[in-house]
Amino acid sequence: MKRLLVALLTVVCTCLPASLSAHALDPGYLDLVSMGQDRWRVTWRAPDVSGRPMPIEARLPQNCSHEAPPPPLFDGRAWTSGWVATCPGGLQGGMIAIVGLDQTSTDTLVRYELQPGQTQVHRLTSAETAFTVPENPGMVEILWSYIALGVTHILEGVDHLLFVFALILLIRDRGRLLWAITAFTVAHSITLAAA
């Protein structure tokens, strides 16, 4: 059985090298840092596609100033621009969207502060291109969002699934296998939260 699994893994790795690359496209990144007095420092990072920014655009809630952001600059990996947005009444209850994300195969990580020091994260995908900023999320909701990000990151990454498959081949004891996979998942969630 073990030889059959190793042979299957070898065939998959040999026949599908393009689909087994770890992460073909970098994700987009939107960072909203509260400066107080209804102002946010906005950093928008769009992935590079053949020397140009991916055609996606960050949209802040309607109550935010809608001045055109400066042209993005290439930082060696992605296209970045930054500006200050004024959002009277705050971000709560407003919708943050990534226009054009539904036409891609990447995702965008949105990191925002409702007030200085109150950081939250939301992941947008081609299936979910916008979200409404919650009014006052509690500690449980914040913790759950980080756990969900970590688990989703592992389950959607072929490289991660192959790693778990390799663990299955190497570890025969089910209890030790469960602990190894759990430790892998927790470690990914922690590194994602720390990043």
Side-chain angles (χ1 to χ4, degrees):
M1 180 66 171
K2 185 175 179 180
R3 289 180 189 199
L4 177 63
L5 291 174
V6 170
L8 179 63
L9 181 61
T10 303
V11 169
V12 168
C13 289
T14 309
C15 295
L16 302 171
S19 64
L20 294 179
S21 60
H23 298 284
L25 289 173
D26 286 336
Y29 179 67
L30 177 62
D31 189 25
L32 299 159
V33 178
S34 176
M35 300 170 64
Q37 300 176 347
D38 292 335
R39 294 174 28 154
W40 277 262
R41 185 176 67 241
V42 181
T43 302
W44 169 237
R45 191 170 189 265
D48 180 64
V49 178
S50 302
R52 301 180 67 186
M54 181 180 281
I56 57 177
E57 177 186 339
R59 290 262 171 89
L60 302 181
Q62 281 190 322
N63 64 315
C64 296
S65 59
H66 288 284
E67 299 169 12
L73 299 173
F74 187 63
D75 65 10
R77 286 198 57 174
W79 295 83
T80 305
S81 63
W83 65 93
V84 173
T86 303
C87 304
L91 299 175
Q92 296 95 327
M95 182 173 287
I96 295 176
I98 306 299
V99 177
L101 191 61
D102 57 339
Q103 303 298 314
T104 71
S105 60
T106 192
D107 55 4
T108 297
L109 191 65
V110 180
R111 180 185 175 278
Y112 61 95
E113 293 181 349
L114 297 178
Q115 296 179 6
Q118 288 185 341
T119 303
Q120 301 190 40
V121 177
H122 193 91
R123 178 178 168 255
L124 294 175
T125 65
S126 59
E128 180 196 7
T129 62
F131 75 101
T132 301
V133 178
E135 292 292 332
N136 286 314
M139 188 60 93
V140 173
E141 289 88 0
I142 294 169
L143 180 62
W144 177 249
S145 71
Y146 281 109
I147 291 171
L149 281 172
V151 171
T152 302
H153 177 73
I154 290 169
L155 293 179
E156 290 181 354
V158 174
D159 54 334
H160 302 319
L161 294 176
L162 286 174
F163 177 76
V164 171
F165 182 66
L167 287 176
I168 292 170
L169 291 176
L170 295 172
I171 302 173
R172 294 197 182 270
D173 180 74
R174 288 186 182 186
R176 289 184 64 206
L177 176 64
L178 179 63
W179 281 111
I181 292 172
T182 301
F184 177 66
T185 305
V186 169
H188 259 68
S189 298
I190 290 170
T191 57
L192 183 64

